[in-house]
Amino acid sequence: MTIATKQALRPAEDRESNDLRGLGYPQELHRKVGSYASFAAGFSFVSILTTVFQLFALGFSFGGAAFFWTWPAVFIGQLLVALNFAALAAHFPISGAIFQWSSRLAGSTIGWFSGWVMVIGQVITVAVAAIALQAVLPSIWSGFQVVGGPGADPSVTSPTGARNAVLLGVGLLVITTIVNVVGVHLMATLTSIGVTVELIGVVAIVVALFSHPERGVGVVMTPQGYTGGPSGYFAAFLASSLMAAYVMVGFDSAGELSEETVSPRRTTPRTIVRALVISGIGGGLLIIAALMAAPSLTDGNLAKYGLAWVLTSSFGEFGGRIMLGAVAVSVFACTLACQTSCSRMVFSMARERMLPLHGLFGRVSPRTGTPIAASVAVGIGASLVLLVNYNQSAIFTALSSLCIAMLYMAYLGVTGPLLVRRLLGRRTGRPGQLDESGEPVFCLGRYGTAINAVAVAYQVLMIVNLMWPRAAVYDLTGNTWWLQWSASLFVLLTLAVGALIHRRNKAAGYLQLRIAHLAEASAG
């Protein structure tokens, strides 16, 4: 970049820094994330190649081919949530978005619990994203199956597959942690490259599968592959929505990078919505194409090995491996985006002295412009979660459902208070707020309350659905009561620990900080 270009960008940088200062914070993080990188952050967290490949087998095993219809249902619900988030991102472009938005809408207590639940849920999400390597790498080359050797069962729910997933996942977390520590520019560059590869991969895989159909598109109107269950098909269909619910979260990651994004009031709202919409369309086509191209829906392979089996069966070992290579890249980008998003949440809460070791986690390296300690802590935390899977292969599906339920709860900590404010006729941002280009910021206008209300109803129903103590999700052993109730028990434990930390914060006077007295100022 030339000196003249840098000088031309300086006024914009100063304006954005002053804007952030008006919201209560100095510009510590380096503002180097452009429009495409902002989109990439949200799209990488959703990462349809990673997550659809990871949980397609689970969704199909519950509901058969008709489980496809959970996809548009979840997409519509999450789109309503994303529209509310986009409006908030335009008014409050701050790192730690869920914590910040919730605090400014409902006060520091609700904000604390929303942020705390989000951090724990995101750490688990990082671990589950890293596990996805096990669904891809051994299918590319059997040598990646280190535990038990190339002939061992690579399924993530088998003992050998579960242990190997831990090894691959921890190795991936070491790499993503290093990238996060080096700087946001490297993170944004690698994420953008990963998203580009993923988009190309999605198009290539969808086109290839549609060109090798074994059956027509009408297959999605049938329950082929459904093997029955004690509670009937509707209960199985609800359970199969776990896949769609797991995939379509994380679009708010663009909001987590607001303090590092150029023109955040204009860029972030658009990238939040764009990431979800493109993911919804691409993921839906991928599911339909896979159901049409699968060699069989009833021999058990699709329910056990998922999309990796479809690709290698339809295009041979060589062709399938090339396509799986794109999936491996998307797994890396997804894990990196998840870890980055979580580290920004930790940083945002720590600079308000809301977390233990806040002096360490709230510190930004002047050289790299990144919260190094927060990034390392998230990497270590996710690695510890992975280790739980080492000797308990049944824990994978439980972790997948649990982490999404917790993210939904944190999201509700934003949309719920936002709905209350709207019903009371209270403003949620400065009237007449303009973005960096001088245009009115994104808002939902007169439809905001209706969109908000339906979004909240959807979230409540989905949280109940995700946390329902299904043995088929939470206890694959069939006889471990604490696994079956693990979601509720873990959430209660998380809230209990959060209550203790919150009590400590209150006793220390930390709740009387900027969040409290900026809540009304920033809203009006």
Side-chain angles (χ1 to χ4, degrees):
M1 185 179 295
T2 66
I3 296 177
T5 303
K6 290 182 178 179
Q7 290 174 341
L9 291 176
R10 181 61 60 189
E13 294 175 355
D14 292 341
R15 183 172 62 249
E16 289 159 359
S17 297
N18 290 334
D19 188 19
L20 179 61
R21 194 171 294 109
L23 290 168
Y25 301 102
Q27 184 71 59
E28 297 181 278
L29 301 169
H30 290 181
R31 200 174 287 277
K32 295 184 177 180
V33 176
S35 178
Y36 186 74
S38 176
F39 159 76
F43 186 83
S44 291
F45 198 123
V46 177
S47 189
I48 52 178
L49 276 188
T50 299
T51 49
V52 172
F53 266 80
Q54 193 174 16
L55 287 184
F56 183 97
L58 182 68
F60 179 81
S61 68
F62 279 122
F67 96 100
F68 162 78
W69 294 104
T70 63
W71 186 269
V74 171
F75 171 69
I76 292 171
Q78 289 295 73
L79 180 59
L80 299 178
V81 176
L83 289 171
N84 284 284
F85 283 5
L88 289 170
H91 288 289
F92 308 118
I94 313 174
S95 291
I98 299 300
F99 165 67
Q100 291 283 347
W101 297 340
S102 182
S103 297
R104 291 165 190 267
L105 292 169
S108 50
T109 297
I110 299 297
W112 155 254
F113 280 101
S114 297
W116 172 247
V117 170
M118 187 71 176
V119 165
I120 302 302
Q122 282 184 322
V123 169
I124 299 174
T125 303
V126 174
V128 175
I131 288 177
L133 275 185
Q134 182 62 27
V136 181
L137 292 187
S139 297
I140 296 176
W141 177 49
S142 59
F144 284 117
Q145 182 62 43
V146 180
V147 178
D153 186 352
S155 172
V156 75
T157 55
S158 69
T160 52
R163 293 171 183 170
N164 202 67
V166 173
L167 296 180
L168 296 179
V170 170
L172 176 58
L173 288 172
V174 170
I175 297 172
T176 56
T177 300
I178 293 172
V179 171
N180 265 299
V181 167
V182 169
V184 69
H185 180 68
L186 177 61
M187 182 281 300
T189 300
L190 293 178
T191 303
S192 297
I193 292 173
V195 164
T196 301
V197 172
E198 180 168 6
L199 288 171
I200 295 172
V202 169
V203 173
I205 291 172
V206 168
V207 170
L209 290 176
F210 272 131
S211 66
H212 288 73
E214 294 288 337
R215 58 196 63 83
V217 70
V219 66
V220 300
M221 304 301 295
T222 73
Q224 289 187 55
Y226 169 62
T227 57
S231 302
Y233 185 75
F234 181 68
F237 182 79
L238 290 177
S240 71
S241 67
L242 165 60
M243 190 211 78
Y246 174 73
V247 175
M248 285 183 274
V249 293
F251 44 83
D252 56 297
S253 292
E256 301 296 346
L257 295 177
S258 289
E259 292 182 32
E260 297 156 270
T261 301
V262 178
S263 301
R265 292 187 187 273
R266 179 175 179 81
T267 299
T268 305
R270 288 165 173 78
T271 53
I272 287 175
V273 176
R274 191 178 300 133
L276 180 61
V277 170
I278 294 177
S279 298
I281 295 172
L285 291 174
L286 185 59
I287 294 171
I288 293 174
L291 291 172
M292 291 174 61
S296 173
L297 299 179
T298 57
D299 65 0
N301 283 315
L302 190 56
K304 185 174 183 180
Y305 300 112
L307 288 185
W309 172 73
V310 177
L311 291 184
T312 54
S313 299
S314 300
F315 307 110
E317 294 296 326
F318 180 74
R321 286 170 181 170
I322 292 177
M323 295 183 183
L324 287 174
V327 181
V329 173
S330 72
V331 172
F332 166 77
C334 176
T335 307
L336 178 60
C338 292
Q339 185 175 3
T340 302
S341 180
C342 186
S343 68
R344 295 327 186 249
M345 179 70 71
V346 171
F347 160 73
S348 185
M349 296 181 71
R351 67 180 172 185
E352 288 290 353
R353 296 191 285 179
M354 294 290 183
L355 292 176
L357 301 177
H358 55 78
L360 179 64
F361 296 145
R363 188 180 306 152
V364 175
S365 168
R367 184 176 63 84
T368 66
T370 57
I372 293 178
S375 299
V376 172
V378 173
I380 293 174
S383 297
L384 293 176
V385 173
L386 276 175
L387 292 177
V388 175
N389 197 58
Y390 194 79
N391 283 319
Q392 179 53 274
S393 59
I395 205 73
F396 169 67
T397 53
L399 285 177
S400 300
S401 190
L402 172 62
C403 70
I404 302 309
M406 296 188 75
L407 296 192
Y408 268 71
M409 291 174 65
Y411 286 179
L412 186 60
V414 174
T415 56
L418 180 60
L419 178 60
V420 171
R421 291 183 72 94
R422 281 180 163 142
L423 292 174
L424 293 176
R426 300 172 67 183
R427 293 192 298 266
T428 55
R430 291 190 179 95
Q433 180 73 54
L434 302 178
D435 64 23
E436 293 81 6
S437 65
E439 298 293 326
V441 296
F442 180 91
C443 71
L444 300 178
R446 59 182 177 177
Y447 301 106
T449 301
I451 292 173
N452 199 164
V454 178
V456 167
Y458 159 77
Q459 289 174 293
V460 171
L461 292 174
M462 187 56 74
I463 289 170
V464 173
N465 183 36
L466 289 171
M467 293 189 62
W468 198 263
R470 299 181 179 92
V473 172
Y474 290 104
D475 180 21
L476 297 185
T477 68
N479 56 9
T480 309
W481 71 268
W482 63 268
L483 275 177
Q484 184 171 347
W485 290 90
S486 59
S488 298
L489 293 173
F490 189 84
V491 169
L492 289 174
L493 177 61
T494 299
L495 294 176
V497 173
L500 292 176
I501 300 176
H502 181 66
R503 183 179 178 182
R504 162 259 188 190
N505 291 341
K506 188 174 181 179
Y510 294 155
L511 300 187
Q512 308 304 318
L513 295 175
R514 285 170 291 192
I515 289 294
H517 69 256
L518 277 178
E520 288 300 327
S522 61

